[in-house]
Amino acid sequence: MKVYSILLTFFLFSTVLFSQEYPETKKTPNTIIKHKISYQDDYSWLENMRSDEVSNWVDKQNEFTNNHLLEVNKTYSLVSKIREYDTRTTYSLPNKIGKYFYARYRKDKKKPASLYFMKSLDDEPVEIANPNKIYPESNVTISGYYPSKNSSNLAYKISIDGSDKQEIRFVDLFKNKNLDDVLKNVKFSNVSWNKDRGIFYKQNSNKDFFAQDSTFKLYYHRIGSLQDNDELIFDTTKSGNNVSFFTSINKLFVIETNKTDGLKNYYYSDLDNDTFKLNKFIENDDSDFEFINYYKGRVYFTSKKMNWGDIRSFDIQNRKDEKTVIPQIYTHLLDHTFFSDDYLICKYKTLGKYYIIFYDYEGKLIRKIEVPNGMDIEFINFDKETKDFYFGVHSYTLPFRNFKVNIETGKEQPFFSLANPPKPTLFPLNYFETKIITYKSRDNVDIPITIIYKKGLLLDGKNPTLLEAYGGFGSVSSPNYDTGLLYFLEKGGVFAYAEIRGGGEKGGKWHEDGKGLKKMNCFNDFIDAAEYLIKEKYTSSNKLAITGASQGGLLVGVAITKRPDLFKVAIPKVGAFDMINFDLFTVGNRHYREYGNVKNEADFVNLLSYSPYHNVKKEENYPTTLIITSENDDRVPPQHSYKFAAALQNRTTQKNPIYIMTSPK
């Protein structure tokens, strides 16, 4: 919500001349030579993120930004209307896992949500975990919850002050009583139960908050014991390889991914007793095998050779027993697969459309559930007794609407409950127009783009427009309802989301064509989207803003340093901007396959060619920019934003304002 309302204030306030002076930023000339190529790193002192000097600089920058926003808010008040939209928003049904339904609710709007459970959707929710009682002075959020096999206990993760390093705590669900068990230094970990006896989790051993990540150890915790006594199951400290895991039925599965070439080893252990002997059943996989699940004695996977996603299976004791259960549907991406006793439930995505198909385990189509174009469909729950499937639909402009359909009869109807009563829509269903089309990239590739605006809006090239994208790690985008965006659209704004290469919206090849030495395809696709919007008279360069987060923040940084003439406003959020040093902090060294390794000359030259921090030109006046970061971001550390902001601000030719907002805690 915040980013869209702030964006709109920048548009509305664009006639105000920029006259403030930036806080002073020290520049220490520093020439570095690597692979016989020299480059500057004049703000490396900002990498010392916990120093008093950097903290003082951050405080002054925040004061500078907040003073401007205070002036804006004297003229334009947006928050009250957006909050009114919030009160009229409908939400997804509580999530059923095992025997019970779970949901997070806020009793105090100034504090993070507590976790509640209920035995049926019409029951009054009962609070079972309140993180504010554990750390009343901190910003503590519940980041995940995991009931045990028989729903007797529940494990939940809490994140403190925004860090990825978390704690796991436990609740006895029968007694609604907190257990004494506390697991600390948990990072990048799911939680997998061994029946009701204990959990598997990953532990981080970093001493320095922003140091290279050291989450290499998989542990088993027995309920009622101390963390110091937890059993080490798997350790990749020596190799530095990534480890992931899950449990299914009576087995633990461990997946080891080589940090350099991505080759994978797959292991399993029986859970019928407490001695966890790992058996390797696939070695140095060539990435053809993408594990989905283990069910009824068989391993289910998708072959990466099938770009759009198929489902295959084999007996875990006999790989030669492999068979195709569900073939790929060309141009229809297999997005998610859910397993029930009788059905494989597959969610697909194609241009502008999502749908779900129920198959039996022989691959026979049982039921197809479709929703209108532009709307996402989300799996909520399948009741195996009644055969009722509960699902939610939503779009960029329509909040959650919940439905149930009987898989045997096909009868479908809206579903409401005590926690989700019916509410009128904020706007008529045809109030906004959504176009889902393609545009041509500079190398003649069709790039999907979603464009939304108020029906009847004149496309005369004068509309404030926000363009967003991500384009990395094979991530698949989906519509995200946001009341701040809704406000922007209602006031005459245009929103566009481009599904650029580097993402996974068009399969594995789409990702491959936008990573590593081909990463520039991702950035060019985004710039080409901007040019398309201008060419088709949705907007002009004087009315066009761009935003994105994390990889999307890098995307925005590259776009404004490559084509500053195209954009009026830029809001990069928690982006990576120093791509020469990205691997020196936190999880950067796990992203060599996405971006490349600076130790390799070809990769270094490619990274230097687009690294936003290193491509700030002395003579250029860049667009009005608001850089958003967080002081405790240990995934994309704030030094990226600090250095980029300093490089943009500290030049006499920069006439448009450059702001940076660093969130505490």
Side-chain angles (χ1 to χ4, degrees), residues 375-434:
M375 302 200 72
D376 195 3
I377 180 170
E378 290 201 14
F379 177 102
I380 297 175
N381 177 41
F382 178 67
D383 189 323
K384 64 182 181 181
E385 304 297 331
T386 64
K387 305 298 183 184
D388 285 331
F389 172 57
Y390 296 82
F391 64 95
V393 300
H394 69 281
S395 71
Y396 283 108
T397 57
L398 187 72
F400 258 94
R401 291 291 186 266
N402 299 297
F403 296 85
K404 74 173 181 178
V405 60
N406 187 275
I407 296 307
E408 293 182 343
T409 67
K411 182 181 178 181
E412 183 178 318
Q413 63 190 71
F415 184 83
F416 304 103
S417 68
L418 181 67
N420 289 271
K423 293 181 182 180
T425 58
L426 280 166
F427 301 99
L429 294 180
N430 63 349
Y431 192 77
F432 298 105
E433 185 164 343
T434 299

Side-chain angles (χ1 to χ4, degrees), residues 5 523 570:
S5 56
F523 309 129

Side-chain angles (χ1 to χ4, degrees), residues 183-250:
L183 309 181
K184 295 181 179 289
N185 297 322
V186 178
K187 198 169 187 181
F188 303 129
S189 177
N190 64 322
V191 173
S192 293
W193 280 91
N194 175 16
K195 302 180 176 63
D196 297 287
R197 299 198 293 259
I199 66 161
F200 298 93
Y201 70 98
K202 290 196 296 184
Q203 190 178 62
N204 176 275
S205 58
N206 276 48
K207 302 301 180 185
D208 185 328
F209 190 80
F210 292 114
Q212 285 186 338
D213 181 65
S214 61
T215 308
F216 301 122
K217 295 180 179 180
L218 173 64
Y219 281 94
Y220 178 63
H221 173 77
R222 293 172 175 82
I223 296 299
S225 65
L226 296 174
Q227 185 177 16
D228 288 346
N229 297 327
D230 287 354
E231 181 179 348
L232 180 63
I233 303 299
F234 200 78
D235 186 359
T236 60
T237 301
K238 290 183 178 179
S239 66
N241 291 341
N242 187 42
V243 58
S244 57
F245 66 96
F246 67 93
T247 58
S248 183
I249 317 297
N250 64 337

Side-chain angles (χ1 to χ4, degrees), residues 91-105 113-129 142 144-156 170-174 176 193 196 379-381 417 419-420:
Y91 299 93
S92 173
L93 293 172
N95 186 23
K96 188 176 185 184
I97 310 176
K99 296 179 181 179
Y100 305 129
F101 294 88
Y102 300 88
R104 282 171 277 203
Y105 299 116
S114 297
L115 180 64
Y116 292 76
F117 86 130
M118 55 209 82
K119 293 182 180 179
S120 78
L121 287 171
D122 288 319
D123 285 348
E124 193 70 30
V126 176
E127 183 181 272
I128 54 175
I142 295 175
Y145 50 90
Y146 314 84
S148 63
K149 174 74 173 177
N150 294 316
S151 297
S152 58
N153 294 316
L154 177 133
Y156 65 96
F170 299 84
V171 179
D172 182 325
L173 290 175
F174 292 161
N176 193 7
W193 280 91
D196 297 287
F379 177 102
I380 297 175
N381 177 41
S417 68
N420 289 271

